[in-house]
Amino acid sequence: MNLSSGTIASFSQDVRNFAFQTNIAQKNVVDIYPLDASNNYIVNSSLVSHIDYESNELKATDVLFSGWCSASMEENGTKVKRRLDEENNNPRKGAELENFYVNAFSKGKIVVFSSGGKQIINIIQLKKDLICACTEGPHIWIIDSDNTVKKFLFNQSKPLKTFQLAAVTQLGDDAVVNFQLFGKGSSVILALACENELYLIDPNKKKPTVLTKYKISGCTNCAITTDRKHIGIATKSE
């Protein structure tokens, strides 16, 4: 979720972890709740962990995005796997997914935490300020202040893909308001909301292409049906 208020509330993609905190600017801490479907998602307070931003030399007021990546333990690498086993005290099978909590900061820093928040798995430092971010599976997508889109693997600092929005869209001087991802893997669609237009972009090809463009002002959010035949668009009230 891209943050516009002082509240963090973010479920992992498999709903096994939940990050939550109100009035984050004053508390400078986020709570991480482990959730278990077999226990009807009842929270065991003794298992709740915390991320203290100050102890990690971070500022909660600079958080622009809070979300989750997920990857199998086989994709994580030996060092990460060992640290997570120690943190969870519950080794997982290689095919089972592990969650990673992602924070993106306004000055271009992206910090990836372990599922319980006790370990920093990766830090990505961009050269430009960050405008928007989103996660999908093991990937982190961002837009920087130069309107450059970059795709990262959660545990790597070198982007897997980079392209300029100006080369794909007729963005002009329109400010980017928000962007979202729909689908998974090679079928993902990027929805880019600007002040006066909404773009649906296929970023998977060597040269990303615009699938469709809607002339609409004040777009804040959208949703695409599973069959991709319909789209719902939310706008600011007049």
Side-chain angles (χ1 to χ4, degrees), residues 2 10 38 66 82 95 101 121 129 142 152 156 172 203 214 236:
N2 288 292
S10 178
S38 65
S66 168
R82 182 170 60 249
Y101 182 54
I121 304 302
D129 288 351
I142 67 95
F152 295 90
Q156 296 181 8
Y214 300 91
K236 294 179 182 178

Side-chain angles (χ1 to χ4, degrees), residues 37-90:
S38 65
N39 195 35
N40 293 321
Y41 299 102
I42 297 173
V43 174
N44 185 338
S45 59
S46 65
L47 298 179
V48 176
S49 56
H50 315 278
I51 295 176
D52 185 336
Y53 287 97
E54 186 174 358
S55 66
N56 288 297
E57 299 182 349
L58 302 169
K59 291 183 179 180
T61 51
D62 291 338
V63 176
L64 287 182
F65 170 82
S66 168
W68 296 84
C69 282
S70 61
S72 70
M73 294 298 287
E74 293 174 343
E75 296 175 287
N76 298 339
T78 304
K79 291 183 179 179
V80 174
K81 186 187 298 185
R82 182 170 60 249
R83 279 184 287 172
L84 292 175
D85 287 350
E86 292 171 353
E87 176 177 325
N88 296 328
N89 196 25
N90 181 23

Side-chain angles (χ1 to χ4, degrees), residues 1-4 62-66 104-107 130-132:
M1 60 179 296
N2 288 292
L3 303 183
S4 58
D62 291 338
V63 176
L64 287 182
F65 170 82
S66 168
F105 296 82
S106 55
K107 296 301 180 181
L130 190 138
I131 302 300
C132 296

Side-chain angles (χ1 to χ4, degrees), residues 179-199:
F179 90 116
Q180 300 165 254
L181 296 172
F182 298 98
K184 295 181 180 181
S186 60
S187 64
V188 72
I189 290 177
L190 193 158
L192 178 72
C194 304
E195 291 178 338
N196 298 300
E197 293 170 323
L198 172 67
Y199 293 90

